[in-house]
Amino acid sequence: MPRGPRIAPSWALLLRLLALLRPLGLGEACSCAPAHPQQHVCRSALAIRAKISSEKVVPASADPADTQKMIRYEIKQIKMFKGFEKVSDIQYIYTPFDSSLCGVRLEANSQKQYLLTGQVLSDGKVFIHLCNYIEPWENLSFLQRESLNHQYHLNCGCQITTCYTVSCTISAPNECLWTDWLLERKLYGYQAQHYVCTKHADGTCSWYQRHLPLRKEFVDIIQP
């Protein structure tokens, strides 16, 4: 079956959904629910390491009446961690031009490398936005880089819950409590950078940092 007619609807539908998800009263703001890097990788269809070669503003669809624009980034793919069954070598990625629709601004024609997570649309194009996990490669810890190969994927059955108050508790045996916001007032703190929520043989999950013990602050929260 020809795939051409599905291309425009895939872009248009995605942009409409992002517009609907925009919180009322925030105008031009883009708002995303917090997620641990492990959750981002598990929920995304694709995770790659790449450099941005160039960028170009392109129409969001072939419909002349559609005024939406996209940014098309030409990339040099360095390594793929997830998405092998959907795409192979990626030449372009797309993001909304409109910042209120969570468009991503990346540095082109530089030596900077990025970890990019995102979706693969029905027409095979790769789509990213600010609610994906997108970080300069140099900002990732050694554990994060290592976990992209195996640990994040192997432990997608674990549930990670963000803690905002000291009263948060585990509600399921496969749950890990993410305390970076509570302890450091930022999402991607020490726990996000150095721990993986790991599933055990009995179905329970707990934080793991290679062979190092949990920091005392995490133990106090997780084991009240």
Side-chain angles (χ1 to χ4, degrees), residues 23 30-41 43 102 129-134 159-165 176-182 185-189 191-192 207:
C30 168
S31 181
C32 308
H36 187 275
Q38 179 176 332
Q39 291 172 296
H40 277 293
V41 173
R43 295 171 183 173
C102 301
H129 53 76
L130 284 175
C131 295
N132 298 125
Y133 189 57
I134 296 169
Q159 176 183 339
I160 300 175
T161 300
T162 307
C163 280
Y164 298 103
T165 65
C176 292
L177 299 180
W178 181 22
T179 59
D180 279 342
W181 178 255
L182 180 62
R185 290 304 174 192
K186 63 181 180 180
L187 285 178
Y188 301 129
Q191 196 177 14
W207 290 113

Side-chain angles (χ1 to χ4, degrees), residues 36-42 47-48 79-82 84 115 117 133 137 140-156 160 190-198 206-211:
H36 187 275
Q38 179 176 332
Q39 291 172 296
H40 277 293
V41 173
C42 288
I48 61 172
K79 185 171 183 179
M80 180 176 287
F81 303 101
K82 186 179 182 181
F84 303 95
L115 169 66
T117 66
Y133 189 57
W137 185 256
L140 300 179
S141 68
F142 175 79
L143 182 79
Q144 286 177 308
R145 298 181 188 187
E146 187 180 61
S147 298
L148 286 166
N149 289 307
H150 298 292
Q151 291 302 315
Y152 285 161
H153 311 290
L154 294 175
N155 295 288
C156 287
I160 300 175
Y190 191 88
Q191 196 177 14
Q193 294 174 340
H194 301 289
Y195 286 84
V196 177
C197 183
T198 305
S206 62
W207 290 113
Y208 173 78
Q209 186 195 23
R210 296 177 67 82
H211 299 294

Side-chain angles (χ1 to χ4, degrees), residues 22-204:
R22 184 192 307 170
L24 293 175
L26 290 185
E28 294 300 311
C30 168
S31 181
C32 308
H36 187 275
Q38 179 176 332
Q39 291 172 296
H40 277 293
V41 173
C42 288
R43 295 171 183 173
S44 297
L46 177 115
I48 61 172
R49 178 183 179 184
K51 290 173 63 176
I52 312 301
S53 301
S54 64
E55 62 180 275
K56 182 179 181 180
V57 178
V58 298
S61 75
D63 183 357
D66 186 357
T67 60
Q68 294 283 359
K69 301 291 185 181
M70 306 289 289
I71 297 177
R72 185 185 72 187
Y73 290 111
E74 183 179 8
I75 71 164
K76 178 181 179 182
Q77 180 179 308
I78 298 170
K79 185 171 183 179
M80 180 176 287
F81 303 101
K82 186 179 182 181
F84 303 95
E85 73 285 358
K86 295 182 180 293
V87 289
S88 53
D89 187 58
I90 302 166
Q91 184 178 3
Y92 300 110
I93 57 174
Y94 297 80
T95 191
F97 177 78
D98 191 342
S99 60
S100 68
L101 298 181
C102 301
V104 181
R105 298 295 183 265
L106 303 175
E107 289 186 25
N109 297 311
S110 73
Q111 295 302 309
K112 181 175 287 189
Q113 299 179 16
Y114 291 93
L115 169 66
L116 305 172
T117 66
Q119 292 75 43
V120 179
L121 303 182
S122 60
D123 56 10
K125 290 184 173 68
V126 176
F127 182 84
I128 64 172
H129 53 76
L130 284 175
C131 295
N132 298 125
Y133 189 57
I134 296 169
E135 283 288 328
W137 185 256
E138 63 185 14
N139 290 356
L140 300 179
S141 68
F142 175 79
L143 182 79
Q144 286 177 308
R145 298 181 188 187
E146 187 180 61
S147 298
L148 286 166
N149 289 307
H150 298 292
Q151 291 302 315
Y152 285 161
H153 311 290
L154 294 175
N155 295 288
C156 287
C158 293
Q159 176 183 339
I160 300 175
T161 300
T162 307
C163 280
Y164 298 103
T165 65
V166 291
S167 60
C168 67
T169 58
I170 293 174
S171 59
N174 69 331
E175 184 178 6
C176 292
L177 299 180
W178 181 22
T179 59
D180 279 342
W181 178 255
L182 180 62
L183 299 177
E184 303 181 43
R185 290 304 174 192
K186 63 181 180 180
L187 285 178
Y188 301 129
Y190 191 88
Q191 196 177 14
Q193 294 174 340
H194 301 289
Y195 286 84
V196 177
C197 183
T198 305
K199 193 166 188 176
H200 307 292
D202 62 359
T204 62

